[in-house]
Amino acid sequence: MAGRPERARVTDTIFALSSGSPPAAVAIVRMSGPGADSALRALAGKLPEPRVATLADLRRQEERLDRALVLRFPGPHSATGEDVVELHLHGGRAVVAAVLEALASVAGLRPAEPGEFTRRAFENGRIDLAEAEGLADLLAAETQAQRRSALAMAGGALSRKVAAWRQRLLGLAAALEAAIDFSDEGEVGEAWPPNWADDVGALASEMSALLASPPAERLRDGLRVVIAGPPNAGKSSLINALAGRQVAIIASTPGTTRDLIEAPTALAGLPFILIDTAGLRESDDEVEAIGVERGRASLASADLVLWLGEPAEAPPGRDRTILVQPKCDLPGPAREAHVRVSALTGQGLEDLVGALAARAETLLPGESEVALNARQRKAVADALANLEEASAPDMLIAAEALRRVRVELDRAVGKAGVEEMLDMLFGRFCIGK
């Protein structure tokens, strides 16, 4: 594939267990590389038809290892772009160990490194970098929102958008080059291509809209929800109730929480990081005073705030603040609140989760949105900055600007300038993927 980072030609064949650790009902061992077919022939004695699941006895010399389902996927029409073989074994530890040992004894085969199957798919043009990053996020997804976003990226959502932009840019570049050529011949003068400003402006608007969407990091890491208020307001009880586990110590003594306590939690299928803070008050206790200061600082960086104090004392930013009246099971006057809860009885917790989910919808990428990570966002932002120069009064400057836009879009999907970060990316994958 044009623009793919150049690497030494792969001559070895890799293998790994690509399913979960045994024991299991089925264990899948994958091979990829030029020696995959010969290794299968060595174990099974024959090669099945491509893409036809076939039962075969696997043997090492005269010893029968297992009766397995085997599949062949000749390259380049395979997951990695190379010859690929899958062995679907009985998932016992002894069976898997015996087959892996047999493969290790075949000349030219070696165990795969983490992410090496996916890296070969990338280097052979089967997927681009944006799809590989989406696949890495999919493997790490813990909530339904993370799964949906990662699946869209792994399925090529950004790649298709960039490919469409690139085609339009090529059309614009061709029209501009023609105008430049005619200008040199004195036939058209300084006439720009028809609708030039509108076409460039439409592309810029689409890139700007993508950059305005919520970032992938917020979805991957979770929205930061700070639980704040005065001492003994019920903050620690609330974080324990929302997290469904004992995250913070609960005591009747004011000032029990003296530092930030974070609890990554999935609520309504969405990722949150719940943060318990020290009760906000003036204190002569040095340690508590430090905790209070950290609590105040956390309010500034919070995506959402659950305020358990008096409404009039709530921090600035009402659009990110949910007013909570805690301990609603106890007698006392009602006050202004979005939600009334009792961590002890569970009353109102469902309403609070609903309120958090509703606020999260405005802060997290929607199902139809492409969520850019920091690397992709920078590339698209640089592309937009160069595209704005395409409105320059000089045609030659505009043509060079369009070329730089294409380079940055290539960078977004990994067709240029990404070699230095590949080891870090594919190191996130498990062995066998």
Side-chain angles (χ1 to χ4, degrees), residues 224-229 298-308 314-324 338 356 359:
R224 297 182 65 83
V225 180
V226 173
I227 304 174
S298 70
L299 289 172
S301 61
D303 295 308
L304 294 171
V305 176
L306 299 183
W307 179 251
L308 275 61
R318 294 299 290 264
D319 59 331
R320 68 187 183 110
T321 301
I322 298 176
L323 301 178
V324 179
H338 296 113
L356 284 169
R359 299 289 181 99

Side-chain angles (χ1 to χ4, degrees), residues 133-143 146-147 150 220 428:
E133 289 172 319
L135 184 54
D137 289 339
L138 183 61
L139 295 175
E142 295 183 353
T143 69
Q146 291 169 337
R147 175 189 60 79
R220 183 191 64 210
R428 293 171 54 192

Side-chain angles (χ1 to χ4, degrees), residues 51-52 207 214 220 223 243 279 294 329 377 407 424:
R51 295 175 179 80
V52 176
M207 291 183 188
R220 183 191 64 210
L223 289 174
R294 289 183 178 178
D329 55 311
R377 185 173 295 275
V407 169
M424 181 180 298

Side-chain angles (χ1 to χ4, degrees), residues 175-191:
L176 186 58
E177 291 294 340
I180 292 173
D181 290 342
F182 282 130
S183 177
D184 291 341
E185 296 172 8
E187 296 183 16
V188 181
E190 292 297 318

Side-chain angles (χ1 to χ4, degrees), residues 309-344:
E310 292 295 330
E313 299 173 1
R318 294 299 290 264
D319 59 331
R320 68 187 183 110
T321 301
I322 298 176
L323 301 178
V324 179
Q325 181 171 352
K327 306 178 183 179
C328 69
D329 55 311
L330 300 179
R335 67 184 187 217
E336 179 190 356
H338 296 113
V339 184
R340 293 177 172 81
V341 301
S342 168
L344 180 63

Side-chain angles (χ1 to χ4, degrees), residues 215-286:
E217 287 78 12
R218 184 179 287 169
L219 180 60
R220 183 191 64 210
D221 300 334
L223 289 174
R224 297 182 65 83
V225 180
V226 173
I227 304 174
N232 271 14
K235 300 182 296 297
S236 296
S237 297
L238 184 57
I239 193 174
N240 289 346
L242 288 172
R245 60 188 186 275
Q246 293 297 309
V247 175
I249 297 173
I250 299 173
S252 59
T253 305
T256 302
T257 301
R258 296 190 170 202
D259 205 348
L260 303 181
I261 299 175
E262 297 189 356
T265 305
L267 299 172
L270 301 171
F272 295 93
I273 299 178
L274 306 177
I275 304 170
D276 188 16
T277 60
L280 302 183
R281 67 173 179 177
E282 299 299 324
S283 176
D284 295 330
D285 185 297
E286 181 180 1

Side-chain angles (χ1 to χ4, degrees), residues 112-125:
E113 298 174 359
E116 192 167 5
F117 287 93
T118 307
R119 181 160 188 161
R120 290 190 178 197
F122 167 72
E123 290 170 347
N124 291 323

